[in-house]
Amino acid sequence: MEMEDQMESQKTRRTQSSDDLISERTGSLGCVGWFIVILSGLFTFILFPFTIWFCLKIVQEYERSVIFRLGRITDRKAKGPGIFFVLPCTDSFVKVDLRTVSFDIPPQEILTKDSVTVSVDGVVYFRVSDPIASVANVANADFSTRLLAQTTLRNVLGTKNLAEVLSDREGIAHSMQSSLDEATDNWGIKVERVEIKDVKLPHQLQRAMAAEAEASREARAKVIAAEGEMNASRALKEASLVIAESPSALQLRYLQTLNTIAAEKNSTIIFPLPMDVISHFMRK
């Protein structure tokens, strides 16, 4: 809770500083500026049937327009959507798209915390949340966000080891999103989502990891086989104790074995002869 409160307070301070910066830009035009604006208005009024096509502008539902009058932002709020009015000689405007934009982060060769070189790429989704800040505070908000995403990916993954990079992609993406959102807040950019697409390992490291996994599986297989042999020996011991208590059980076992051999249609049948019968003839 304390960290969230601190982050919220920092974001509020950044917003206030951004508003102060914009308010400085939206200051008074001065006497000369107002004279030019009035002159432009009179010119527009005199040539009204013709200048109306230069004064009315239209922006789409997903766009906003930031109007500059003699180089100064006229209002803290962007215009649109729909129709708005500009003076043809003194006003200029910049259209800003508010739709979510996605871009791929190029594969980055990164050295992890445990000195392993990996190639990682990702995708970032962002949108313009403050049109005026995106125009007034940064030269190219889209290009700047793309470059910042590449450096943020390097910085975040440089603090992780290989196991964390392979297993904790969601945590890495969340950390990148927080860092990007905090850095681009003054630019009027809202980072909505960051995803890690692929992590490419060197071929030698892939072969080493495959050999390690195969050795681990073989070791587990041997342990399971040894446990099976131990359980089988215990079962045979219990069976021998039962047969030793009842000599007729051994004869039944012989007959069951003969039945099994006969079912397989073998041409040769080996009949086990009890040792006590042989010993009886040997004594005679």
Side-chain angles (χ1 to χ4, degrees), residues 14-191:
R14 289 195 301 269
T15 305
Q16 292 176 353
S17 63
S18 178
D19 293 340
D20 295 338
L21 183 60
I22 294 174
S23 63
E24 290 177 1
R25 292 192 176 101
T26 58
S28 177
L29 297 176
C31 297
V32 178
W34 280 113
F35 175 75
I36 296 174
V37 170
I38 294 173
L39 186 63
S40 176
L42 291 175
F43 176 76
T44 304
F45 180 74
I46 294 172
L47 301 177
F48 176 73
F50 303 100
T51 56
I52 187 64
W53 306 108
F54 301 96
C55 296
L56 294 180
K57 303 296 179 181
I58 300 175
V59 293
Q60 304 296 330
E61 181 69 29
Y62 54 84
E63 294 178 333
R64 298 294 183 271
S65 292
V66 180
I67 300 177
F68 292 88
R69 179 163 294 164
L70 296 178
R72 292 182 177 272
I73 298 175
T74 58
D75 195 356
R76 289 191 177 185
K77 185 177 180 181
K79 300 294 184 180
I83 301 175
F84 63 95
F85 180 83
V86 296
L87 293 176
C89 299
T90 60
D91 292 357
S92 62
F93 65 95
V94 178
K95 287 185 179 180
V96 180
D97 197 328
L98 301 183
R99 291 176 293 183
T100 299
V101 179
S102 63
F103 66 90
D104 292 328
I105 302 176
Q108 304 291 313
E109 294 288 339
I110 300 169
L111 186 65
T112 61
K113 190 176 181 181
D114 50 355
S115 301
V116 177
T117 302
V118 295
S119 178
V120 183
D121 59 352
V123 59
V124 177
Y125 299 86
F126 72 95
R127 61 179 175 83
V128 176
S129 60
D130 188 351
I132 295 180
S134 66
V135 173
N137 293 349
V138 62
N140 190 333
D142 182 87
F143 183 68
S144 301
T145 304
R146 292 172 186 267
L147 292 181
L148 185 62
Q150 298 180 22
T151 57
T152 303
L153 178 63
R154 288 178 173 272
N155 294 336
V156 171
L157 293 183
T159 60
K160 307 290 184 180
N161 55 39
L162 181 60
E164 293 175 341
V165 172
L166 296 176
S167 61
D168 192 19
R169 294 191 180 187
E170 184 176 354
I172 294 174
H174 181 71
S175 178
M176 281 190 60
Q177 179 182 351
S178 301
S179 300
L180 280 174
D181 196 22
E182 181 180 357
T184 58
D185 184 65
N186 289 331
W187 300 345
I189 300 295
K190 172 63 178 177
V191 179

